[in-house]
Amino acid sequence: MRPVDLAREHGLSTQAVRNYEDAGILPAAERTVHGYRTYMPLHAQALRTFLALVPGHGHRTATSIMQAVNRGAVEDALRLIDESHGQLLDDRGTLQAVEGALRDLAPVPQEDGETFIGPLARRLGLRPATLRKWEHAGLVRPGRDPRTGYRVYGAADVRDVRLAHQLRRGGYLLEQIAPLIAQVRSAGGVAPLESTLRDWRARLSARGRAMLKGATELDAYLSMRER
């Protein structure tokens, strides 16, 4: 097969196919005596696998999975998949916590278990600058240590940060997130959040289904490589 044959099936450009090979997403192609790439059914399955992995795992993780498989590090690929499933489970837990807070319809009390900006940023895989930006946008309102002036995040602040993090991953803008978190913070009403929560739940379900489809294609690719 030529690059155009692989590209045509998925509505891609031939350059995109070549770029995927150069990035290690596809195994290296054979070359004709004139230097033209020649692809086999294995390459076609690799491309189908990658494109099936992207909706559930994201472009970067899907790329890392395919690179690991193509260099023979299948265990590394499986670990990346496990981590992605773990992230989905964590996101479901965050949604459940938000829904629980809304059902209570009461202001969220300040609780123990305080943390600072550095440890919180590391826990969530964010930069401290991102948390400061979210604070400026009104998404989170940490207190200050009276002696040092450092930001102090209580349990309710951590919940707000986790919610903002999830909504940002879902494609929401900061100006869209701020009023939602304000509603959660004060539990002043469920109605403004119902459609967002439904959309959020649907996005998580879609990711779960996409992961299943990606797993099916990856299993087929692994079987072809073994043969």
Side-chain angles (χ1 to χ4, degrees), residues 33-48:
V33 293
H34 299 293
Y36 295 117
R37 290 174 168 89
T38 300
Y39 293 116
M40 307 298 288
L42 182 68
H43 297 91
Q45 182 58 41
L47 183 56
R48 282 192 293 269

Side-chain angles (χ1 to χ4, degrees), residues 4-42:
V4 68
D5 298 320
L6 264 67
R8 190 177 291 132
E9 177 184 351
H10 304 285
L12 300 172
S13 67
T14 54
Q15 184 60 51
V17 173
R18 288 191 288 265
N19 290 343
Y20 287 153
E21 181 189 344
D22 292 340
I25 293 168
L26 306 183
E30 297 290 336
R31 297 276 184 161
T32 68
V33 293
H34 299 293
Y36 295 117
R37 290 174 168 89
T38 300
Y39 293 116
M40 307 298 288
L42 182 68

Side-chain angles (χ1 to χ4, degrees), residues 59-132:
H59 192 280
R60 182 166 60 180
T61 299
T63 298
S64 297
I65 291 169
M66 295 302 295
Q67 289 171 337
V69 170
N70 290 332
R71 68 173 181 267
V74 175
E75 290 299 320
D76 289 346
L78 296 178
R79 177 182 53 78
L80 290 168
I81 292 170
D82 290 342
E83 290 175 353
S84 199
H85 278 281
Q87 181 64 65
L88 177 60
L89 181 61
D90 189 55
D91 290 345
R92 289 188 186 281
T94 300
L95 172 59
Q96 186 176 9
V98 171
E99 290 176 326
L102 291 175
R103 283 195 299 269
D104 292 339
L105 290 178
V108 178
Q110 188 70 26
E111 303 177 25
D112 296 330
E114 296 175 337
T115 187
F116 295 99
I117 191 169
L120 179 58
R122 286 192 295 273
R123 188 193 314 172
L124 298 178
L126 299 169
R127 295 181 302 164
T130 299
L131 294 181
R132 288 192 288 268

Side-chain angles (χ1 to χ4, degrees), residues 113-215:
E114 296 175 337
T115 187
F116 295 99
I117 191 169
L120 179 58
R122 286 192 295 273
R123 188 193 314 172
L124 298 178
L126 299 169
R127 295 181 302 164
T130 299
L131 294 181
R132 288 192 288 268
K133 180 179 179 181
W134 290 357
E135 179 183 351
H136 182 72
L139 274 60
V140 62
R141 299 183 303 197
R144 296 277 182 165
D145 186 301
R147 293 172 301 172
T148 64
Y150 294 158
R151 293 171 173 82
V152 179
Y153 294 81
D157 301 313
V158 173
R159 181 212 59 213
D160 292 345
V161 170
R162 287 172 61 85
L163 175 56
H165 188 30
Q166 167 65 14
L167 291 173
R168 285 294 290 145
R169 282 203 302 267
Y172 290 89
L173 303 176
L174 295 183
E175 54 266 31
Q176 295 172 311
I177 297 172
L180 299 179
I181 291 185
Q183 287 286 340
V184 173
R185 188 180 292 133
S186 63
V190 178
L193 290 170
E194 287 180 344
S195 62
T196 297
L197 292 176
R198 283 196 300 270
D199 179 62
W200 184 355
R201 194 178 303 107
R203 287 170 183 261
L204 294 179
S205 295
R207 274 171 58 195
R209 291 289 298 273
M211 285 179 176
L212 291 176
K213 181 178 180 181

